[in-house]
Amino acid sequence: EMLSHYFAAQGETIDAAQGLNDLHFHGLVTLVKADDENVRSYQAHDLAQEYAAADVDDTARGHALAACLATITAHNSPSIDNFNALMPLMDQFDGAQAGALAAERWGDVGQVGWDLYTATSSGIIQYRGLWARGITLLGRAVEAADRYGSQRNQAIYLNNLAVCQNSLARHEDALMSYQQAVRLAEELNWLEQQAVALGNMGGVYREQQRYDLARTTYQRSLAIERELGNQNGMAADLGNVANIDKDQGRYEQAVVGYQASVKLNRELGDAGGVATQLGNLGDCYRAMGRHEDALHALSEALAINTRLGNTHLIGYNRYHIAQLN
């Protein structure tokens, strides 16, 4: 059935072997090579039939996209097993989104980008550091939101796009994306999104060592979060201001900020936030020569990030623990 759909989409007759080879080339089936235990065979991925059918008509394309989104959702809580299940399908998700863009299915384009980037703050792009992939997927999502006239979604996707750009040291691109996101949020009088974009923009300024701009931007975000009573945002911005204090050698002030952020994140049950700020606190203690305190904080951060499968921060924690030995 899968091959018949594929042949129909191509508009020509292809023998089965060639068709399977083509599907293998596009990542839709896995070739099992002959060895002592296996004969040469092809294993079709669970979603392969839907992808093969996607070019037939818009209804079939919709089924394919629904299958993608359901698969992402089913595996999008942070764990190594879940993300290992998604990794072999990333090329297929990319292709499905590109097909949705070509077919002007704007909402599906945005949903694929959003679910793979963050979903419930645990998307595979963030936790596996797939930043180049994120730029492609979220760039399409920004375009789609612009096409269907949703400033709200465009602001969200721009903010996420900027995170990916900044993670690849494309700082000026990231600043432009954040600035556009802030402008859109201001036009919508959307304080929550203004605060998020400002907080992230402060991080770019920090990486550029433009500390005065970073502190001002973080404080703008913190003021909005306090006005809104948003403890999650307050926790993030307290940690961000503490980062500037640490960078400028104001370690005692930094410790106070990190501890306040850890406390808020624990109250909120945000394990990822706790791990991030404990890692920062441990690094600060290390710079102060408080090695025992540093080891305690970094070890707890490492344990949490290992449980969450956050490979990016696992490496960060291990690096700083190694510096204590």
Side-chain angles (χ1 to χ4, degrees):
E1 183 181 9
M2 179 184 70
L3 284 172
S4 69
H5 281 302
Y6 178 78
F7 296 157
Q10 300 303 310
E12 57 186 16
T13 301
I14 307 175
D15 66 67
Q18 183 58 49
L20 285 166
N21 285 331
D22 286 349
L23 290 172
H24 174 244
F25 177 78
H26 291 292
L28 299 176
V29 298
T30 297
L31 169 63
V32 179
K33 295 183 179 180
D35 57 29
D36 291 340
E37 298 181 359
N38 300 289
V39 296
R40 179 184 173 92
S41 61
Y42 295 86
Q43 295 178 346
H45 296 170
D46 291 342
L47 303 180
Q49 191 274 340
E50 297 288 1
Y51 289 112
D55 288 333
V56 178
D57 56 39
D58 199 57
T59 299
R61 185 179 294 108
H63 290 320
L65 288 161
C68 287
L69 294 169
T71 301
I72 296 166
T73 299
H75 296 91
N76 219 10
S77 59
S79 73
I80 291 174
D81 287 343
N82 275 343
F83 293 154
N84 284 347
L86 291 179
M87 283 299 293
L89 299 172
M90 290 300 293
D91 285 343
Q92 298 179 43
F93 296 143
D94 182 285
Q97 191 201 40
L101 184 66
E104 300 184 357
R105 298 180 64 104
W106 310 127
D108 288 323
V109 174
Q111 196 65 49
V112 172
W114 169 258
D115 283 3
L116 287 172
Y117 175 76
T118 188
T120 55
S121 299
S122 56
I124 189 170
I125 288 173
Q126 285 184 309
Y127 270 67
R128 280 289 186 260
L130 307 178
W131 308 121
R133 178 84 71 175
I135 289 173
T136 298
L137 293 168
L138 292 164
R140 292 180 188 139
V142 170
E143 179 183 348
D146 183 52
R147 294 287 191 92
Y148 65 77
S150 174
Q151 287 184 305
R152 188 179 183 89
N153 284 348
Q154 194 175 3
I156 293 171
Y157 301 148
L158 279 164
N159 186 72
N160 297 341
L161 172 63
V163 173
C164 297
Q165 291 167 328
N166 189 55
S167 297
L168 291 179
R170 292 171 54 175
H171 301 309
E172 294 305 319
D173 289 341
L175 285 172
M176 289 177 61
S177 295
Y178 283 134
Q179 288 162 356
Q180 190 176 354
V182 170
R183 178 182 58 77
L184 288 168
E186 288 174 342
E187 290 176 4
L188 295 167
N189 195 29
W190 188 9
L191 293 177
E192 292 86 351
Q193 187 62 25
Q194 285 182 51
V196 169
L198 285 167
N200 289 336
M201 191 189 305
V204 183
Y205 286 134
R206 180 194 173 205
E207 291 191 35
Q208 294 180 316
Q209 298 183 350
R210 299 162 73 179
Y211 294 123
D212 289 342
L213 279 172
R215 185 184 296 276
T216 299
T217 307
Y218 283 143
Q219 288 174 339
R220 284 178 62 193
S221 177
L222 180 58
I224 295 173
E225 300 290 18
R226 283 176 170 155
E227 179 183 347
L228 294 169
N230 180 5
Q231 288 186 305
N232 283 295
M234 290 165 59
D237 285 329
L238 284 167
N240 289 333
V241 174
N243 286 336
I244 301 301
D245 287 328
K246 183 187 71 173
D247 291 343
Q248 295 186 314
R250 303 171 183 172
Y251 297 123
E252 296 296 338
Q253 290 176 250
V255 166
V256 171
Y258 287 137
Q259 289 174 336
S261 183
V262 169
K263 181 175 183 293
L264 273 176
N265 279 304
R266 288 194 196 279
E267 292 172 359
L268 292 164
D270 183 352
V274 171
T276 296
Q277 300 306 339
L278 281 172
N280 290 334
L281 178 61
D283 188 35
C284 187
Y285 282 143
R286 181 188 60 81
M288 299 170 73
R290 295 170 58 176
H291 287 187
E292 185 175 344
D293 290 333
L295 183 60
H296 182 270
L298 289 167
S299 297
E300 185 180 355
L302 177 60
I304 295 171
N305 284 320
T306 299
R307 175 166 55 83
L308 295 176
N310 190 334
T311 52
H312 176 66
L313 289 183
I314 287 170
Y316 173 88
N317 297 149
R318 285 178 174 169
Y319 171 75
H320 287 294
I321 289 172
Q323 288 188 315
L324 298 172
N325 298 326

